[in-house]
Amino acid sequence: MAATDIARQVGEGCRTVPLAGHVGFDSLPDQLVNKSVSQGFCFNILCVGETGLGKSTLMDTLFNTKFEGEPATHTQPGVQLRSNTYDLQESNVGLKLTIVSTVGFGDQINKEDSYKPIVEFIDAQFEAYLQEELKIRRVLHTYHDSRIHACLYFIAPTGHSLKSLDLVTMKKLDSKVNIIPIIAKSDAISKSELTKFKIKITSELVSNGVQIYQFPTDDESVAEINGTMNAHLPFAVIGSTEELKIGNKMMKARQYPWGTVQVENEAHCDFVKLREMLIRVNMEDLREQTHTRHYELYRRCKLEEMGFKDTDPDSKPFSLQETYEAKRNEFLGELQKKEEEMRQMFVQRVKEKEAELKEAEKELHEKFDCLKKLHQDEKKKLEDKKKSLDDEVNAFKQRKTAAELLQSQGSQAGGSQTLKRDKEKKN
């Protein structure tokens, strides 16, 4: 590097300082590359689409490997997100790849809330990163970034138009993730139908205000190819891990009774275009867009909900300490207010309970008095009845005594007459 060619431009009025010799800061890019390679990279892909559109097969084809996974059924009661992380190595570059698949998406009769688990999952990853970022002792250089960098939205090859589920889901996701729409199993429709289908999809996305990811054209080195690829969206892809011998080469392809579809043949599908744009050209831009656009939007909204602002009404910078103290005092005030409300509510409920208990006690006393009076009446009746029975018993005893007396007198009179008759017979 020539010393006279080195200058530092900060703004107008800055002077150019020529160097007397070679310093060496031109090796800074090499230092960054070596450091990045030693640390490795991470990339997270979210595959959204109905069951059976070939999401797992396409991932296997993209990264030229066989990922673990079980085939999903159409009997899921709801949408579930299945996440798997793999460590890949290519040359001396390591990549921690996370593939998130939507299991059961579009299989339910009521698909109204099918997008909610996906939105909640994306927000959960943003929240986890934000919590790590807000820690006092942060370890972001070793933190596993689980934020979704790219969302491959699989569209069924119907050849007609997008389903309502697709439009609603993409509209809910476009502010949270980089959406790349792709037509899955594009060999199911003819080339002419495919061209019309692409135009129809693009038109519907624009008319419904769905913002999909556009490959960047601000970098001159990739502006031309990215501009061309933007015109090819959505990509029509075919996935296959089966290799067939075509000519003298083994190629990934799908064998049909009527012929062979080559996955890496650009005349047959857009798989090569997708691989170039997603992995070889724009992977770092997808990571950057996720951090600077989608995550920053989530972070800003979250901090504004917490009451944090950049400036006060007088356009002066906010003090974090003052903001914290203000929020703390506000929270304590609300807590005290709620505590007072709960205390008043407790006192009111105690009074109501006391009134209920007094009313119940009054009712019990009335019931007791009624039962006491009834008992006394019953007791008096029993005493009267007992007195009557005693009188009857006494009268019966008197009659019995008189009868016994008469009977004894009669017996004595009969005995004397018998003796008199016996004496008369003897004489």
Side-chain angles (χ1 to χ4, degrees):
M1 177 183 291
T4 57
D5 295 337
I6 299 176
R8 181 173 181 264
Q9 296 292 337
V10 178
E12 295 183 2
C14 293
R15 60 196 179 97
T16 301
V17 181
L19 301 179
H22 184 265
V23 176
F25 58 77
D26 57 350
S27 65
L28 183 59
D30 297 331
Q31 297 176 35
L32 293 176
V33 169
N34 294 334
K35 185 175 181 179
S36 299
V37 169
S38 64
Q39 290 179 349
F41 303 88
C42 71
F43 192 65
N44 307 318
I45 300 177
L46 171 64
C47 298
V48 181
E50 299 177 10
T51 306
L53 288 180
K55 299 186 289 294
S56 300
T57 303
L58 184 64
M59 290 297 101
D60 294 344
T61 311
L62 269 176
F63 293 96
N64 197 26
T65 185
K66 180 64 177 176
F67 295 114
E68 300 175 358
E70 299 178 356
T73 63
H74 292 271
T75 58
Q76 298 292 333
V79 180
Q80 300 177 355
L81 281 88
R82 184 182 299 167
S83 177
N84 294 297
T85 302
Y86 309 94
D87 291 320
L88 305 182
Q89 187 79 19
E90 188 174 30
S91 299
N92 63 332
V93 178
L95 178 68
K96 185 180 288 293
L97 176 68
T98 300
I99 299 176
V100 183
S101 182
T102 54
V103 181
F105 181 79
D107 290 340
Q108 295 75 34
I109 296 176
N110 184 6
K111 304 177 179 64
E112 183 179 359
D113 298 331
S114 295
Y115 68 89
K116 288 186 178 180
I118 305 174
V119 173
E120 291 172 357
F121 178 84
I122 296 174
D123 286 344
Q125 313 316 308
F126 284 153
E127 183 64 25
Y129 191 89
L130 179 61
Q131 292 299 324
E132 182 65 28
E133 197 176 44
L134 294 176
K135 286 182 179 179
I136 297 177
R137 295 183 179 181
R138 301 184 299 179
V139 285
L140 292 176
H141 61 284
T142 59
Y143 175 75
H144 177 213
D145 187 3
S146 59
R147 296 173 296 177
I148 301 299
H149 300 123
C151 171
L152 298 181
Y153 197 96
F154 288 69
I155 300 171
T158 59
H160 300 290
S161 61
L162 286 172
K163 299 179 181 179
S164 300
L165 175 64
D166 298 330
L167 287 172
V168 171
T169 304
M170 281 193 277
K171 184 62 179 175
K172 295 293 183 180
L173 297 179
D174 63 356
S175 62
K176 299 179 178 294
V177 70
N178 302 312
I179 300 177
I180 303 177
I182 59 177
I183 301 172
K185 296 185 176 181
S186 60
D187 53 342
I189 54 179
S190 64
K191 269 199 168 184
S192 59
E193 291 176 338
L194 186 59
T195 302
K196 295 178 182 178
F197 191 33
K198 283 188 174 185
I199 296 173
K200 182 69 173 176
I201 291 173
T202 304
S203 175
E204 290 184 348
L205 291 176
V206 173
S207 61
N208 287 277
V210 178
Q211 300 292 327
I212 63 174
Y213 174 73
Q214 295 291 320
F215 303 118
T217 56
D218 51 352
D219 188 353
E220 295 181 358
S221 60
V222 294
E224 183 177 355
I225 184 173
N226 280 348
T228 304
M229 291 300 107
N230 282 329
H232 283 81
L233 288 172
F235 292 133
V237 298
I238 301 168
S240 176
T241 55
E242 181 183 359
E243 292 191 351
L244 301 176
K245 188 173 183 180
I246 300 175
N248 296 326
K249 295 182 179 179
M250 297 297 293
M251 304 181 67
K252 289 184 173 63
R254 297 182 70 88
Q255 183 70 50
Y256 294 99
W258 45 262
T260 303
V261 178
Q262 300 174 23
V263 174
E264 296 179 323
N265 189 337
E266 294 192 48
H268 291 181
C269 69
D270 298 331
F271 173 79
V272 174
K273 295 182 178 66
L274 174 64
R275 184 175 61 190
E276 290 285 330
M277 293 296 99
L278 180 66
I279 301 175
R280 296 184 180 177
V281 179
N282 297 302
M283 179 179 280
E284 180 56 31
D285 185 74
L286 287 165
R287 286 159 42 88
E288 183 181 352
Q289 286 291 322
T290 298
H291 182 77
T292 59
R293 180 186 170 193
H294 302 296
Y295 170 70
E296 285 299 321
L297 176 62
Y298 177 85
R299 175 179 174 275
R300 184 175 74 245
C301 294
K302 199 71 176 178
L303 292 179
E304 286 177 352
E305 288 178 5
M306 297 169 63
F308 292 95
K309 296 179 181 179
D310 292 331
T311 57
D312 59 13
D314 299 330
S315 298
K316 295 181 180 179
F318 255 102
S319 170
L320 183 62
Q321 181 67 22
E322 292 177 358
T323 304
Y324 170 76
E325 291 293 338
K327 293 299 294 183
R328 183 175 181 273
N329 294 333
E330 181 182 351
F331 174 76
L332 291 176
E334 291 179 357
L335 187 63
Q336 187 176 1
K337 183 179 178 181
K338 288 183 178 180
E339 185 179 354
E340 181 65 22
E341 290 177 356
M342 291 180 66
R343 191 181 68 80
Q344 294 292 340
M345 186 181 297
F346 177 76
V347 172
Q348 182 66 23
R349 289 187 177 181
V350 168
K351 290 181 179 179
E352 292 176 357
K353 197 67 178 177
E354 287 179 350
E356 291 178 2
L357 290 174
K358 287 181 179 179
E359 186 67 24
E361 185 179 3
K362 183 179 178 181
E363 291 178 359
L364 287 174
H365 279 298
E366 292 177 354
K367 190 175 181 180
F368 174 76
D369 293 339
C370 182
L371 290 174
K372 185 178 180 181
K373 184 178 180 182
L374 182 63
H375 175 70
Q376 290 176 352
D377 294 341
E378 291 290 335
K379 184 178 180 181
K380 185 177 180 181
K381 289 180 181 179
L382 288 174
E383 288 178 353
D384 294 342
K385 193 171 184 180
K386 182 181 178 183
K387 183 178 180 182
S388 176
L389 289 174
D390 289 340
D391 293 342
E392 290 180 3
V393 169
N394 293 331
F396 175 77
K397 288 181 177 179
Q398 290 176 0
R399 290 195 299 271
K400 182 179 178 182
T401 304
E404 289 177 350
L405 181 60
L406 291 173
Q407 186 178 5
S408 62
Q409 290 177 356
S411 299
Q412 290 177 0
S416 61
Q417 291 177 1
T418 304
L419 290 173
K420 187 176 180 180
R421 282 196 298 268
D422 289 342
K423 286 179 179 181
E424 288 177 353
K425 286 180 181 180
K426 288 180 180 180
N427 295 328

